[in-house]
PDB file of all heavy atoms in Angstrom:
ATOM      1  N   ALA A  72     -30.813 -25.771   4.182  1.00 97.00           N
ATOM      2  CA  ALA A  72     -31.264 -25.347   5.461  1.00 97.00           C
ATOM      3  C   ALA A  72     -32.731 -25.787   5.537  1.00 97.00           C
ATOM      4  O   ALA A  72     -33.425 -26.048   4.490  1.00 97.00           O
ATOM      5  CB  ALA A  72     -31.144 -23.901   5.680  1.00 97.00           C
ATOM      6  N   THR A  73     -33.173 -25.909   6.858  1.00 97.00           N
ATOM      7  CA  THR A  73     -34.557 -26.301   7.188  1.00 97.00           C
ATOM      8  C   THR A  73     -35.210 -25.433   8.291  1.00 97.00           C
ATOM      9  O   THR A  73     -34.568 -25.219   9.232  1.00 97.00           O
ATOM     10  CB  THR A  73     -34.796 -27.806   7.404  1.00 97.00           C
ATOM     11  OG1 THR A  73     -34.232 -28.475   6.434  1.00 97.00           O
ATOM     12  CG2 THR A  73     -36.148 -28.162   7.728  1.00 97.00           C
ATOM     13  N   LEU A  74     -36.492 -24.966   7.995  1.00 97.00           N
ATOM     14  CA  LEU A  74     -37.246 -24.367   9.066  1.00 97.00           C
ATOM     15  C   LEU A  74     -38.532 -25.261   9.364  1.00 97.00           C
ATOM     16  O   LEU A  74     -39.117 -25.618   8.407  1.00 97.00           O
ATOM     17  CB  LEU A  74     -37.639 -23.048   8.714  1.00 97.00           C
ATOM     18  CG  LEU A  74     -36.676 -21.888   8.704  1.00 97.00           C
ATOM     19  CD1 LEU A  74     -37.189 -20.507   8.184  1.00 97.00           C
ATOM     20  CD2 LEU A  74     -36.025 -21.693  10.138  1.00 97.00           C
ATOM     21  N   ASN A  75     -38.851 -25.480  10.618  1.00 97.00           N
ATOM     22  CA  ASN A  75     -39.967 -26.305  10.873  1.00 97.00           C
ATOM     23  C   ASN A  75     -40.546 -25.801  12.239  1.00 97.00           C
ATOM     24  O   ASN A  75     -39.939 -24.944  12.920  1.00 97.00           O
ATOM     25  CB  ASN A  75     -39.720 -27.711  10.979  1.00 97.00           C
ATOM     26  CG  ASN A  75     -38.652 -28.062  11.856  1.00 97.00           C
ATOM     27  OD1 ASN A  75     -38.435 -27.492  12.855  1.00 97.00           O
ATOM     28  ND2 ASN A  75     -37.822 -29.144  11.558  1.00 97.00           N
ATOM     29  N   GLY A  76     -41.740 -26.333  12.696  1.00 97.00           N
ATOM     30  CA  GLY A  76     -42.254 -25.914  13.989  1.00 97.00           C
ATOM     31  C   GLY A  76     -43.531 -26.433  14.129  1.00 97.00           C
ATOM     32  O   GLY A  76     -44.097 -27.206  13.195  1.00 97.00           O
ATOM     33  N   TRP A 114     -45.434 -28.158  10.728  1.00 97.00           N
ATOM     34  CA  TRP A 114     -45.044 -27.645   9.308  1.00 97.00           C
ATOM     35  C   TRP A 114     -43.545 -27.737   9.100  1.00 97.00           C
ATOM     36  O   TRP A 114     -42.732 -27.781  10.145  1.00 97.00           O
ATOM     37  CB  TRP A 114     -45.486 -26.172   9.004  1.00 97.00           C
ATOM     38  CG  TRP A 114     -44.892 -25.231  10.012  1.00 97.00           C
ATOM     39  CD1 TRP A 114     -45.286 -24.881  11.381  1.00 97.00           C
ATOM     40  CD2 TRP A 114     -43.623 -24.460   9.813  1.00 97.00           C
ATOM     41  NE1 TRP A 114     -44.413 -24.000  11.969  1.00 97.00           N
ATOM     42  CE2 TRP A 114     -43.442 -23.718  10.969  1.00 97.00           C
ATOM     43  CE3 TRP A 114     -42.820 -24.422   8.677  1.00 97.00           C
ATOM     44  CZ2 TRP A 114     -42.357 -22.892  11.029  1.00 97.00           C
ATOM     45  CZ3 TRP A 114     -41.736 -23.462   8.869  1.00 97.00           C
ATOM     46  CH2 TRP A 114     -41.551 -22.765  10.053  1.00 97.00           C
ATOM     47  N   ALA A 116     -40.321 -26.371   6.112  1.00 97.00           N
ATOM     48  CA  ALA A 116     -39.817 -25.703   4.872  1.00 97.00           C
ATOM     49  C   ALA A 116     -38.396 -26.228   4.864  1.00 97.00           C
ATOM     50  O   ALA A 116     -37.487 -25.637   5.341  1.00 97.00           O
ATOM     51  CB  ALA A 116     -40.023 -24.349   4.851  1.00 97.00           C
ATOM     52  N   ILE A 142     -35.719 -14.279  12.390  1.00 96.00           N
ATOM     53  CA  ILE A 142     -34.594 -15.264  12.782  1.00 96.00           C
ATOM     54  C   ILE A 142     -33.560 -15.134  11.718  1.00 96.00           C
ATOM     55  O   ILE A 142     -33.799 -14.587  10.600  1.00 96.00           O
ATOM     56  CB  ILE A 142     -35.116 -16.639  12.877  1.00 96.00           C
ATOM     57  CG1 ILE A 142     -35.742 -17.128  11.464  1.00 96.00           C
ATOM     58  CG2 ILE A 142     -36.175 -16.803  14.009  1.00 96.00           C
ATOM     59  CD1 ILE A 142     -36.164 -18.514  11.487  1.00 96.00           C
ATOM     60  N   PHE A 143     -32.466 -15.708  12.024  1.00 97.00           N
ATOM     61  CA  PHE A 143     -31.306 -15.813  11.081  1.00 97.00           C
ATOM     62  C   PHE A 143     -31.039 -17.301  11.056  1.00 97.00           C
ATOM     63  O   PHE A 143     -30.722 -17.918  12.003  1.00 97.00           O
ATOM     64  CB  PHE A 143     -30.063 -15.039  11.435  1.00 97.00           C
ATOM     65  CG  PHE A 143     -28.960 -15.068  10.423  1.00 97.00           C
ATOM     66  CD1 PHE A 143     -28.968 -14.192   9.231  1.00 97.00           C
ATOM     67  CD2 PHE A 143     -28.035 -16.059  10.510  1.00 97.00           C
ATOM     68  CE1 PHE A 143     -28.003 -14.349   8.329  1.00 97.00           C
ATOM     69  CE2 PHE A 143     -27.023 -16.084   9.472  1.00 97.00           C
ATOM     70  CZ  PHE A 143     -27.031 -15.281   8.375  1.00 97.00           C
ATOM     71  N   LEU A 144     -30.925 -17.778   9.820  1.00 96.00           N
ATOM     72  CA  LEU A 144     -30.786 -19.258   9.538  1.00 96.00           C
ATOM     73  C   LEU A 144     -29.401 -19.551   8.831  1.00 96.00           C
ATOM     74  O   LEU A 144     -29.133 -18.824   7.772  1.00 96.00           O
ATOM     75  CB  LEU A 144     -31.878 -19.751   8.700  1.00 96.00           C
ATOM     76  CG  LEU A 144     -32.005 -21.267   8.289  1.00 96.00           C
ATOM     77  CD1 LEU A 144     -32.197 -22.001   9.656  1.00 96.00           C
ATOM     78  CD2 LEU A 144     -33.100 -21.504   7.335  1.00 96.00           C
ATOM     79  N   GLY A 145     -28.575 -20.339   9.326  1.00 96.00           N
ATOM     80  CA  GLY A 145     -27.291 -20.648   8.810  1.00 96.00           C
ATOM     81  C   GLY A 145     -27.629 -21.523   7.476  1.00 96.00           C
ATOM     82  O   GLY A 145     -28.670 -22.047   7.304  1.00 96.00           O
ATOM     83  N   ALA A 147     -26.659 -24.395   6.548  1.00 96.00           N
ATOM     84  CA  ALA A 147     -26.991 -25.817   6.642  1.00 96.00           C
ATOM     85  C   ALA A 147     -27.722 -26.115   8.016  1.00 96.00           C
ATOM     86  O   ALA A 147     -27.651 -27.263   8.513  1.00 96.00           O
ATOM     87  CB  ALA A 147     -25.749 -26.614   6.720  1.00 96.00           C
ATOM     88  N   ASP A 148     -28.341 -25.020   8.546  1.00 96.00           N
ATOM     89  CA  ASP A 148     -29.007 -25.255  10.008  1.00 96.00           C
ATOM     90  C   ASP A 148     -30.481 -25.810   9.790  1.00 96.00           C
ATOM     91  O   ASP A 148     -31.135 -25.541   8.733  1.00 96.00           O
ATOM     92  CB  ASP A 148     -29.173 -23.839  10.638  1.00 96.00           C
ATOM     93  CG  ASP A 148     -27.846 -23.369  11.215  1.00 96.00           C
ATOM     94  OD1 ASP A 148     -26.887 -24.052  11.134  1.00 96.00           O
ATOM     95  OD2 ASP A 148     -27.798 -22.220  11.584  1.00 96.00           O
ATOM     96  N   THR A 149     -30.999 -26.564  10.796  1.00 96.00           N
ATOM     97  CA  THR A 149     -32.282 -26.942  10.879  1.00 96.00           C
ATOM     98  C   THR A 149     -32.897 -26.242  12.219  1.00 96.00           C
ATOM     99  O   THR A 149     -32.291 -26.566  13.259  1.00 96.00           O
ATOM    100  CB  THR A 149     -32.376 -28.302  11.117  1.00 96.00           C
ATOM    101  OG1 THR A 149     -32.018 -28.965   9.839  1.00 96.00           O
ATOM    102  CG2 THR A 149     -33.782 -28.832  11.298  1.00 96.00           C
ATOM    103  N   LEU A 150     -33.861 -25.446  12.105  1.00 97.00           N
ATOM    104  CA  LEU A 150     -34.235 -24.567  13.229  1.00 97.00           C
ATOM    105  C   LEU A 150     -35.742 -24.739  13.302  1.00 97.00           C
ATOM    106  O   LEU A 150     -36.572 -24.750  12.563  1.00 97.00           O
ATOM    107  CB  LEU A 150     -33.897 -23.137  12.938  1.00 97.00           C
ATOM    108  CG  LEU A 150     -34.210 -22.148  14.215  1.00 97.00           C
ATOM    109  CD1 LEU A 150     -33.277 -22.404  15.295  1.00 97.00           C
ATOM    110  CD2 LEU A 150     -33.849 -20.688  13.728  1.00 97.00           C
ATOM    111  N   ALA A 151     -36.183 -24.942  14.685  1.00 97.00           N
ATOM    112  CA  ALA A 151     -37.559 -25.031  14.975  1.00 97.00           C
ATOM    113  C   ALA A 151     -38.190 -23.606  15.363  1.00 97.00           C
ATOM    114  O   ALA A 151     -37.484 -22.949  16.222  1.00 97.00           O
ATOM    115  CB  ALA A 151     -37.906 -26.066  16.067  1.00 97.00           C
ATOM    116  N   VAL A 152     -39.367 -23.177  14.791  1.00 97.00           N
ATOM    117  CA  VAL A 152     -39.926 -21.963  15.058  1.00 97.00           C
ATOM    118  C   VAL A 152     -41.292 -22.107  15.536  1.00 97.00           C
ATOM    119  O   VAL A 152     -42.266 -22.305  14.760  1.00 97.00           O
ATOM    120  CB  VAL A 152     -39.849 -21.062  13.894  1.00 97.00           C
ATOM    121  CG1 VAL A 152     -40.395 -19.605  14.176  1.00 97.00           C
ATOM    122  CG2 VAL A 152     -38.398 -20.942  13.339  1.00 97.00           C
ATOM    123  N   PRO A 153     -41.579 -22.190  16.894  1.00 96.00           N
ATOM    124  CA  PRO A 153     -42.979 -22.311  17.212  1.00 96.00           C
ATOM    125  C   PRO A 153     -43.753 -20.903  17.031  1.00 96.00           C
ATOM    126  O   PRO A 153     -43.281 -19.978  17.300  1.00 96.00           O
ATOM    127  CB  PRO A 153     -42.783 -22.650  18.815  1.00 96.00           C
ATOM    128  CG  PRO A 153     -41.428 -21.964  19.153  1.00 96.00           C
ATOM    129  CD  PRO A 153     -40.548 -22.035  17.994  1.00 96.00           C
TER     130      PRO A 153
END
Side-chain angles (χ1 to χ4, degrees):
T73 300
L74 286 175
N75 56 34
W114 61 276
I142 59 173
F143 184 84
L144 183 66
D148 288 350
T149 297
L150 187 62
V152 184

